[in-house]
Amino acid sequence: MTSSVGARFLAGSAALAVGVCCVTPASASTHGHAAAQAIVDGFTSAGAPGAMVYAQDRRGRWSVHSGTAELGTDRPIRPDDRVRVASNTKMFVATVVLRLVGEGRVALDAPIADYLPGLVRGNGYDGARITVRQLLRHTSGLADYVEDVLSDPTSGDHPWRPEDLVAVGLSHPPLFAPDTGWAYSNTNYIVLGMLVEAVTGRFVGTEITDRLIRPLGLSRTSYPAPGDKAIPGRHAHGYYAFPGRPVTDVTELEPSLPGAAAALVSTGEDMTRFVRALLSGGLLRPDLLAELRMTVPADGTDYGLGIREIPLPCGGVAWGHAGDMPGFDSFTAATRDGRSAFVVVNGHLTDGSTADVRGAVGTALCS
């Protein structure tokens, strides 16, 4: 669940106090990508357990890494290591919703009450005035649920129903009237996951798998079912310090808690393949791809339908999304000319801040 003021997936202010004894800088494959290497080394020097950049450009694929995928070992994070990609999930959900739009089963400007009657109502909310488009681009005014739910570290001890997560968000008053502001809210994408399930009659994870993961050959990407807390196969471990608690391994997670907002598990290789396919028109009709890229001003970068427009330091723009949750901060982006990059860090810095993964992606795309 990506960053926004007051709306991070438990970003918190707790420090990740990882000793420098546990960090081993420098990957063996910089190959002219010294700027990217310096950035990941900077992350681990500042306290992150490990960091990795995976990118593709006209010259081929490359990666750099620093630190460790698991404290107590010297194994680095690799491009094919599975990690929790958190709010990168939103690009997948938005793509599925737009595919349903293309099939005539969903209308972007239809009210969500047409598909989920009675879900969004009360406490100042009216689902008859909130559209699918507004949910996709975070202009609905729905309040976020994550700070309430995840202020308790035991909240992941049991599966959650999506309607219960929505109810937590709606227990707060609207952030603004629909389409009069912008605020990042994970509740929007929990609702959109329910929309996909209402229209198709199938689990949202099954729709993502059958429409996107399997056709693209994303063999190390999965949408875990409720109760499936472990990351399968080889993976990086994630570390986090809940307020007032020591740093702990938070790799296992109840996936129904982030749900359609942030449940996906993937790798750098798979994420870059997905975002290249999306931007090249391989997943959406041209008119729907244009809808995806129709942005509104957001918190520093413009936001489309489940995707951000990111100005690059070398000129031009990329498109992608962040994914921030306890244990993993990541960013995936690609340009329309085929460059792509994925960055992941498996813990916060010693001062409690998050690594600048968006800046690292910009550096990688401009290398």
Side-chain angles (χ1 to χ4, degrees), residues 26 159 203 226 262 272:
F203 177 48
T272 52

Side-chain angles (χ1 to χ4, degrees), residues 58-366:
R58 290 180 294 274
R59 294 166 291 181
R61 301 176 181 89
W62 58 272
S63 68
V64 296
H65 57 76
S66 186
T68 182
E70 181 178 3
L71 291 177
T73 77
D74 59 0
R75 180 174 69 86
I77 303 174
R78 299 291 188 182
D80 59 350
D81 277 350
R82 291 174 174 89
V83 297
R84 297 195 186 278
V85 296
S87 282
N88 283 284
T89 305
K90 291 179 174 66
M91 292 190 288
F92 287 73
V93 172
T95 303
V96 169
V97 171
L98 286 168
R99 294 278 284 268
L100 293 171
V101 170
E103 295 165 9
R105 302 167 75 180
V106 171
L108 277 175
D109 294 311
I112 193 60
D114 285 2
Y115 307 100
L116 298 167
L119 177 68
V120 180
R121 67 177 178 184
N123 199 25
Y125 293 99
D126 182 358
R129 298 180 57 230
I130 295 172
T131 68
V132 174
R133 186 191 302 273
Q134 291 162 0
L135 293 167
L136 284 164
R137 62 166 48 148
H138 298 294
T139 58
S140 68
L142 297 190
D144 208 341
Y145 73 93
V146 297
E147 290 187 2
D148 284 349
V149 173
L150 292 182
S151 61
D152 176 7
T154 67
S155 61
D157 290 349
H158 61 86
W160 287 76
R161 299 188 309 164
E163 55 266 40
D164 292 334
L165 297 174
V166 173
V168 172
L170 301 190
S171 69
H172 298 277
L175 302 173
F176 45 78
D179 238 12
T180 64
W182 188 93
Y184 192 92
S185 175
N186 294 289
T187 310
N188 289 320
Y189 276 75
I190 300 297
V191 174
L192 289 165
M194 296 179 68
L195 164 66
V196 170
E197 293 179 347
V199 170
T200 66
R202 303 203 305 166
F203 177 48
V204 62
T206 303
E207 286 293 310
I208 288 173
T209 299
D210 289 352
R211 290 175 177 270
L212 303 175
I213 294 173
R214 189 170 292 120
L216 288 174
L218 307 181
S219 61
R220 294 182 175 87
T221 299
S222 59
Y223 189 108
D228 190 2
K229 296 183 178 182
I231 299 178
R234 195 181 73 181
H235 59 273
H237 287 240
Y239 299 92
Y240 187 77
F242 286 95
R245 298 196 176 198
V247 173
T248 188
D249 187 322
V250 293
T251 308
E252 290 198 353
L253 173 75
E254 170 49 53
S256 62
L257 191 58
L264 210 65
V265 170
S266 191
T267 69
E269 292 175 345
D270 280 4
M271 285 304 305
T272 52
R273 182 183 301 176
F274 166 75
V275 76
R276 286 196 307 272
L278 177 60
L279 293 177
S280 69
L283 300 176
L284 295 172
R285 293 185 334 219
D287 59 319
L288 296 174
L289 185 58
E291 293 278 12
L292 180 91
R293 295 198 304 258
M294 191 174 298
T295 63
V296 294
D299 57 349
T301 58
D302 291 348
Y303 200 93
L305 303 186
I307 199 166
R308 288 184 182 272
E309 183 180 27
I310 307 135
L312 294 176
C314 53
V317 299
W319 295 85
H321 213 288
D324 302 323
M325 68 188 337
F328 298 98
D329 296 308
S330 63
F331 208 102
T332 311
T335 61
R336 296 184 69 180
D337 64 4
R339 290 171 289 156
S340 60
F342 173 81
V343 177
V344 65
V345 181
N346 61 341
H348 286 183
L349 309 182
T350 302
D351 65 3
S353 65
T354 57
D356 181 12
V357 289
R358 183 189 301 175
V361 158
T363 296
L365 290 172
C366 290

